[in-house]
Amino acid sequence: MSEYAVSMEHITKTFPGVKALDDVQLHVKPGEVMALLGENGAGKSTLMKILSGVYTRDSGTVKIFDQEVGDLNTKQAQDLGVAIIHQELNMCQHLTVYENMFLGRELTKNGRLDIKEMCRQATDQLSKLGITDLDPRTTVGDLTVGRQQMVEISKALLINAKILVMDEPSSSLSNAEITEMFRIVRTLREQGTAIVYISHRLQELHHIVDRVTIMRDGQYITEGNFEDFTMDQIIANMVGRSITNQFPRDLVEKGEKVFEVKNLNAGRMVRNVSFEAYAGEVLGFSGLVGAGRTETMRAIFGADPKEGGEIILDGKSLVINSPEDAIRQGIVLAPEDRKKEGLCTRLSIRDNIALPNLDLICGKPFGTINKKVENEMIEKGRSSLTIKMASPENEAASLSGGNQQKVVVAKWLARDSRVVIFDEPTRGIDVAAKVEIYEIINDLKKRGIAVIIVSSEMPEVMGISDRIIVMCNGKITGEVDPRDTTEEEIMTYATQFGDNAV
């Protein structure tokens, strides 16, 4: 057997004005899970795109099972056994499981699609991963994200993938789905698959990872057995410095009540929700995926229709039927999916900050844009949030995940909002960028703004919140002080399906 399934040496890659990779190496053995770690912008994705044939390297060598390969295209990489499971799953939602698994290479018999054989092979491949209860004729769009991910893995294995790259595979999964995904990874490892595992959720690495490779600023830093590193050492290698406090929380005296929600109802997932938020505190919302937290915030923001309830800001009852109503009255939302709902990624950074603030920039309805005011707004957002960008004219898509999140925040801070809601504020961003986001949240708290965060990461919601509300099945089931609670207590509230809901 080959010593390495993947061996990449002295890899360099330059884009106009940017050296994305500088003398990078990566070694992955068959039957092992290699964690590829680094901050956003470290070069991990570029390296994997070279391995999978999306990009060509400027220099360096790539060997797959000891065979040196030249510049690959995606089809050649696939034929050599390389497959990538992307963070944003690449599935056709309107097609069935078997149609997705055989897309582009459908089986035929006597000039017709051999549906029976495709279903048989799909079922056989799913069963090899221990998935025996999934009908291959099921429409993919009807599956949970976790099940869709299993289908995508099965599709890769069906084309004989021996090297599997998993990019942030757990970012959108529930705890139960993450446990199932870990089981699948272990099964693949036992079957001899080489796995490159990219994740910013460092706390999950000890469940499945054998070795780690760490990158920083486009360069290889170190590699070794996972058990030989402490978590502090991994973080220090990733960011180039020691981070002594992953969850900085500034203590601010609790002020007056700023915001109140009474008996909010919005479909099955928001049922009689009531809570209060105060100046000088961060109010966290915890619970399992599907508990109704995001649905509650969308209903407050006017993104989804409400059936009843009252929203009160600074003692005044508000009428909110759309996001425009909420924004105008001082309530803003940084949504869970910043790329689809928080940003126009193909527009410039300037446009993204300016668009929701045209009323401030123009000064009067249907007026012309005041460039001076606009430039001041862009510069204030860039400097106050330390947004790392070459130019505000660059597309928002060119930014790292952490800087994209800062742009979402910058456009709302320009309005002097009274309530800022963060839904999964650090999803998909690295540990150093997370700390920067937490510092922004602390700054908002000091300014007397009511801050609400929704997070599926228990250490995060406990570390940054001053008070935590727990939801389950559309209802509030508990309220705790993070300084006087445990993860076990929060999970107890998070699994109370309504009988003891408050």
Side-chain angles (χ1 to χ4, degrees), residues 31-147:
E32 81 166 357
V33 180
M34 167 66 79
L36 181 58
L37 306 177
E39 296 183 84
N40 292 106
K44 307 184 297 297
S45 295
T46 302
L47 187 65
M48 291 301 95
K49 286 179 178 178
I50 289 173
L51 176 63
S52 60
V54 177
Y55 292 157
T56 58
R57 60 194 181 277
D58 296 337
S59 62
T61 60
V62 177
K63 292 182 180 181
I64 296 179
F65 292 105
D66 294 337
Q67 175 187 349
E68 186 169 340
V69 297
D71 290 330
L72 302 172
N73 60 36
T74 53
K75 178 65 166 59
Q76 291 168 332
Q78 187 180 93
D79 291 343
L80 288 168
V82 180
I84 295 185
I85 309 300
H86 295 280
Q87 182 177 358
E88 286 86 19
L89 296 177
N90 190 25
M91 307 292 286
C92 296
Q93 300 288 312
H94 65 290
L95 298 182
T96 65
V97 169
Y98 83 82
E99 287 171 330
N100 270 278
M101 291 177 68
F102 284 91
L103 190 62
R105 52 189 193 86
E106 292 80 2
L107 303 182
T108 59
K109 184 177 182 181
N110 298 325
R112 295 184 176 184
L113 289 174
D114 193 346
I115 296 174
K116 182 178 179 181
E117 179 61 18
M118 286 189 284
C119 286
R120 187 195 67 77
Q121 290 191 28
T123 299
D124 183 58
Q125 185 57 64
L126 288 164
S127 66
K128 289 179 181 178
L129 298 180
I131 303 169
T132 59
D133 60 346
L134 180 55
D135 186 340
R137 292 178 176 82
T138 304
T139 302
V140 161
D142 294 335
L143 301 176
T144 66
V145 175
R147 278 300 173 99

